[in-house]
Amino acid sequence: MAKISIFGIGYVGTVAAACLAKDGHSVVAVDIDKAKVDSINAGKTPIVEDGLDDLIAEGVAAGRLSATTDVRQAVSQTDASFICVGTPSADDGSVGLKYVVSVCTAIGGAISAKSDFHSVIVRSTIVPGSMDTTCIPALEAASGMVAGKDFGVGYFPEFLRESTAIEDYYDPGLIVFGYKDRVTRDILVEVNEKLPCEIYAVDLRTAELIKYTSNCWRAVKITFANEIGNIAKAAGIDGQKVMRVLCSDAKVNMSPYFMRPGFAFGGSCLPKDLRALRHLASTLNVPSPMLDSTLAANEEQIRRAELLVDSLSGQSVGMIGISFKAGTDDLRESPLAQLAHRLISKGYDLRIYDPYVKSAFDQRLSGAGRGNDCVDNLENRLVSGIDGLISQSDILLIGNRYDEVVEPLSRIASTRPTVDLARLRPDLVSNGVYEGICW
């Protein structure tokens, strides 16, 4: 069992301390507020949370939970320290790190006097890069030691909801942590391995952003549901019923398929339906700022792709895919067609590989090129094979992913200027020659 000191007897720190003690770990809670320390040592909770009183009383009675104001004592008695202090917004809206830095400095001073390896694990919510640019430097400066070598470092965000925190702790929807060394990784695996959830061990910055993404995604969902509810009410409809039925659909509406960063949306449904619902809201005098910003954000993603192409050297562009999604020849409101139009207007020599659109033209189908209202001379821009497209192009622009293009494009991704909007392979990341739109 692990020996853990928890810095910050607030909401997260108290719940974590009680649950870790229940699980058999030895826990020392640390705070500058003596009243909170005394409360823990008396077997009482300093915060209101259902079930916490009993857990703290049990932990103290079993000798697995205690509290102190003495930083050095806590660090000397434990193998790892969890930092659970607040990060309130600064005046400019940025994350406030003064409490985190203060605790890192105090812990750094304490581990400098310790012969055993000690891990410092931040649980406070901090923006990506904070561990590397603020927390680790503070620890190293105070200790005179090197992170990852002389002491361990990790970032372990929490996803507890107030009023159901203990239930969430033991039945989590997500467990993720970042780490810099194997010892810290092993400690975090040990404290989580019996929980009914997959453990994701990632780098520090990824863990930091996952926490922020989770919180902001919840805020976006609430705002979206409220906006739909406002429109529904104005139209004489029960908005909660609408969202309840919608959320029962795990195949499409609750699917992770639409949660993959990439290019803009398009097609015959999403753009027009967004416009129609915005118009309905307008006629009902209901503001729809989220729906408005969705269309604006989609337009910005097209512009982002355009700028990526402009940033590379070359005049001839080979575009893979022109339809709004792979597997169809439908160009209705295709963001790729809009992007193609912009590039052609700028003078780029554009050629296109799209087997489905090409097949429709080759078979002289009556619907060939359906929905195209912006790409001039489309049929003559289509090429039959990917190898021919590659040989004719200074820049490759991957809009849709087709199985047959993965291998030939992968061979040249590091040497031929490439903009990837569809994620050719998960191991490819932007490097100046290859540019992924979101990776």
Side-chain angles (χ1 to χ4, degrees):
M1 290 294 175
K3 296 178 180 179
I4 299 170
S5 48
I6 293 184
F7 285 75
I9 306 179
Y11 182 80
V12 174
T14 304
V15 172
C19 291
L20 286 166
K22 174 180 170 60
D23 293 341
H25 303 290
S26 177
V27 182
V28 179
V30 188
D31 205 288
I32 59 174
D33 187 335
K34 191 173 184 300
K36 292 181 178 180
V37 169
D38 291 343
S39 179
I40 294 283
N41 286 330
K44 298 179 180 179
T45 177
I47 66 168
V48 176
E49 178 65 32
D50 188 40
L52 198 54
D53 265 318
D54 291 340
L55 284 189
I56 289 176
E58 291 169 8
V60 171
R64 291 191 296 268
L65 175 61
S66 63
T68 183
T69 58
D70 190 328
V71 173
R72 288 183 179 268
Q73 175 189 332
V75 170
S76 68
Q77 294 177 351
T78 56
D79 302 317
S81 296
F82 287 2
I83 297 176
C84 304
V85 297
T87 53
S89 292
D91 291 340
D92 62 358
S94 63
V95 61
L97 295 175
K98 63 179 182 179
Y99 301 127
V100 173
V101 171
S102 176
V103 173
C104 284
T105 300
I107 294 174
I111 62 177
S112 67
K114 186 176 179 181
S115 58
D116 296 335
F117 192 88
H118 193 89
S119 291
V120 183
I121 298 158
V122 178
R123 301 211 70 183
S124 305
T125 302
I126 53 178
V127 296
S130 298
M131 288 296 297
D132 290 332
T133 63
T134 302
C135 300
I136 291 175
L139 287 162
E140 290 182 333
S143 66
M145 303 162 74
V146 178
K149 177 185 175 184
D150 302 319
F151 65 92
V153 170
Y155 180 67
F156 177 32
E158 52 79 24
F159 300 96
L160 306 177
R161 298 170 296 175
E162 295 190 35
S163 80
T164 59
I166 295 172
E167 177 186 339
D168 290 345
Y169 186 94
Y170 287 109
D171 186 19
L174 176 64
I175 296 174
V176 62
F177 62 78
Y179 65 99
K180 200 172 180 68
D181 56 280
R182 181 63 58 176
V183 173
T184 301
R185 180 189 183 280
D186 291 345
I187 290 172
L188 289 171
V189 168
E190 180 184 356
V191 300
N192 288 294
E193 61 186 350
K194 294 182 180 179
L195 299 175
C197 186
E198 183 175 355
I199 298 173
Y200 294 92
V202 299
D203 61 274
L204 294 171
R205 288 175 180 247
T206 297
E208 289 168 325
L209 184 54
I210 287 171
K211 170 59 177 177
Y212 267 88
T213 303
S214 173
N215 283 0
C216 291
W217 175 226
R218 289 184 231 178
V220 166
K221 287 190 287 185
I222 291 168
T223 303
F224 176 76
N226 289 343
E227 197 160 290
I228 293 299
N230 294 340
I231 296 170
K233 180 181 179 181
I237 301 166
D238 184 338
Q240 288 201 344
K241 182 185 292 184
V242 169
M243 294 304 296
R244 185 169 59 249
V245 174
L246 186 83
C247 291
S248 70
D249 173 16
K251 183 175 182 179
V252 176
N253 287 308
M254 297 295 109
S255 167
Y257 179 85
F258 298 98
M259 295 293 289
R260 298 177 298 179
F263 195 41
F265 62 79
S268 62
C269 297
L270 302 188
K272 76 174 182 63
D273 292 346
L274 258 173
R275 288 193 296 268
L277 191 55
R278 287 177 64 210
H279 184 268
L280 174 63
S282 177
T283 62
L284 296 170
N285 295 316
V286 177
S288 56
M290 177 161 283
L291 298 182
D292 298 345
S293 62
T294 299
L295 287 172
N298 202 55
E299 167 63 26
E300 178 59 27
Q301 200 71 345
I302 299 173
R303 191 182 77 88
R304 182 180 178 85
E306 180 185 353
L307 292 175
L308 284 175
V309 175
D310 288 341
S311 72
L312 300 175
S313 297
Q315 195 59 34
S316 58
V317 175
M319 190 170 192
I320 296 89
I322 193 69
S323 60
F324 89 94
K325 65 183 291 189
T328 179
D329 66 328
D330 194 346
L331 280 81
R332 284 178 290 179
E333 300 212 40
S334 168
L336 292 174
Q338 295 177 47
L339 177 58
H341 171 72
R342 297 182 187 190
L343 297 176
I344 293 168
S345 298
K346 285 185 170 183
Y348 286 100
D349 178 17
L350 187 75
R351 294 289 181 269
I352 303 164
Y353 174 81
D354 190 313
Y356 295 91
V357 175
K358 182 79 166 62
S359 176
F361 277 111
D362 288 347
Q363 297 178 57
R364 298 299 166 196
L365 300 181
S366 60
R370 62 193 173 114
N372 176 40
D373 59 1
C374 59
V375 181
D376 294 335
N377 201 20
L378 174 59
E379 183 176 5
N380 291 330
R381 295 182 184 277
L382 295 167
V383 301
S384 299
I386 188 63
D387 291 334
L389 185 78
I390 291 172
S391 67
Q392 299 175 49
S393 306
D394 300 324
I395 301 170
L396 293 165
L397 175 57
I398 305 170
N400 287 332
R401 187 183 186 280
Y402 306 104
D403 290 342
E404 69 273 16
V405 308
V406 174
E407 193 276 330
L409 291 176
S410 296
R411 283 200 312 264
I412 62 170
S414 61
T415 58
R416 184 75 62 87
T418 300
V419 173
D420 190 353
L421 312 179
R423 201 66 186 266
L424 187 67
R425 287 201 332 243
D427 60 313
L428 290 173
V429 294
S430 298
N431 59 20
V433 176
Y434 169 90
E435 288 290 344
I437 190 167
C438 294
W439 48 87

